[in-house]
Amino acid sequence: MHRSAPATPEKAHAPAPRIRLARVLACAAVPVMLVAVGCSSDSGGDKKKDASSSASSSGGKQASSSPSLAPAKFKKLPEACQSVTPASIDKYVPKAKTKAGEVGKTSDPQSQASCTWNGLDDKGVQGSLYRWLDIDLKRYDSTAGLGSGDSLAQKQFDRAVSAAQGTADAKNVKSTPVPGLGDQATAITFDLKKTDADFKYGVVVVRSANAVIAVDYNGTGYQGADAPQTNEVQEGATVTAKEAVAALAAANNK
């Protein structure tokens, strides 16, 4: 999920590769028709069975080859750039180039949406602070042949956590659960050196029912300014992830 650092402070826009998952086409289950077979008998005095008895179709019953799936909880996603409050952008991405955020491209905004913010806060002789915030939302429907929306989201959650933990050249990688956030959440922090700058990363991945939210918050210092502390980037990622979970719930309560 990390972004490549800018070569110079003037070109500090350094997007980290975002985890993406292609949508899988639904497969329809074919029901199996079961027909009950009955026998007719001769009612004559000799109790002789009729050799030409026919099968009765009146008792036929239909059965499905696959169990029914529970419907997905969330039917839509919030607008990604509105899932984080302006106050949080002011705090965690000071001097953001675009305070409204930059919307990521998507062919289906109700299944996948994303937004990024970045800014370089020039403090003169004290150096410059660069910050980057990226939020990615994915939603899964219950699909016959593939599984429930929750189970599909669970798989994406596991992939996103593993991808953050396995970031190339990352150092001091630490993972901790985040209690009380969604159905499950994991925070991952690490250090990464890029273009001679030391970046600190805070990543929080959350699964809430059939949706997965991944937040990547990172930054560094230029011209003598220090990089943020690990607890700072973890806090920024956690706070904005909580806001995105709340925005998801609100979007589906309208």
Side-chain angles (χ1 to χ4, degrees):
M1 292 185 58
H2 66 276
R3 307 283 177 183
S4 302
T8 65
E10 291 77 12
K11 297 180 180 180
H13 188 172
R18 191 183 293 114
I19 304 165
R20 303 195 182 276
L21 180 67
R23 297 184 62 216
V24 185
L25 295 179
C27 299
V30 179
V32 177
M33 302 296 294
L34 300 180
V35 179
V37 178
C39 295
S40 62
S41 61
D42 186 359
S43 58
D46 57 2
K47 309 298 184 180
K48 187 176 181 180
K49 293 183 179 180
D50 186 359
S52 63
S53 60
S54 61
S56 171
S57 60
S58 61
K61 295 183 180 179
Q62 180 176 334
S64 174
S65 61
S66 60
S68 60
L69 295 173
K73 177 179 180 179
F74 297 119
K75 305 301 182 184
K76 59 183 178 179
L77 293 175
E79 292 188 31
C81 290
Q82 295 180 18
S83 62
V84 177
T85 65
S88 289
I89 299 303
D90 286 340
K91 179 177 181 179
Y92 297 114
V93 193
K95 306 296 183 182
K97 284 200 308 181
T98 305
K99 189 173 179 179
E102 298 177 21
V103 181
K105 294 181 179 180
T106 177
S107 60
D108 185 358
Q110 295 309 321
S111 294
Q112 180 171 338
S114 62
C115 190
T116 59
W117 298 261
N118 71 89
L120 186 68
D121 186 8
D122 187 352
K123 294 186 175 296
V125 296
Q126 296 180 0
S128 300
L129 304 178
Y130 174 69
R131 298 293 184 269
W132 172 277
L133 176 65
D134 177 285
I135 184 165
D136 183 89
L137 305 97
K138 291 182 172 67
R139 186 189 65 84
Y140 298 87
D141 287 317
S142 296
T143 305
L146 295 177
S148 67
D150 284 20
S151 66
L152 295 174
Q154 176 70 62
K155 293 176 182 178
Q156 172 60 19
F157 173 86
D158 294 339
R159 283 191 291 265
V161 170
S162 296
Q165 293 170 332
T167 300
D169 301 320
K171 299 183 183 301
N172 302 318
V173 181
K174 295 180 180 178
S175 300
T176 56
V178 184
L181 181 55
D183 291 304
Q184 58 186 138
T186 299
I188 305 100
T189 57
F190 55 88
D191 304 336
L192 192 63
K193 191 174 184 66
K194 302 183 296 183
T195 60
D196 297 324
D198 295 319
F199 278 73
K200 292 283 187 179
Y201 276 78
V203 176
V204 172
V205 184
V206 186
R207 182 184 71 81
S208 183
N210 59 308
V212 176
I213 297 171
V215 174
D216 178 333
Y217 180 54
N218 64 79
T220 190
Y222 290 108
Q223 300 171 325
D226 295 329
Q229 297 297 311
T230 297
N231 64 317
E232 293 178 56
V233 292
Q234 181 170 352
E235 175 195 294
T238 303
V239 168
T240 50
K242 287 180 179 179
E243 291 180 348
V245 170
L248 172 68
N252 285 270
N253 287 332
K254 293 180 180 179

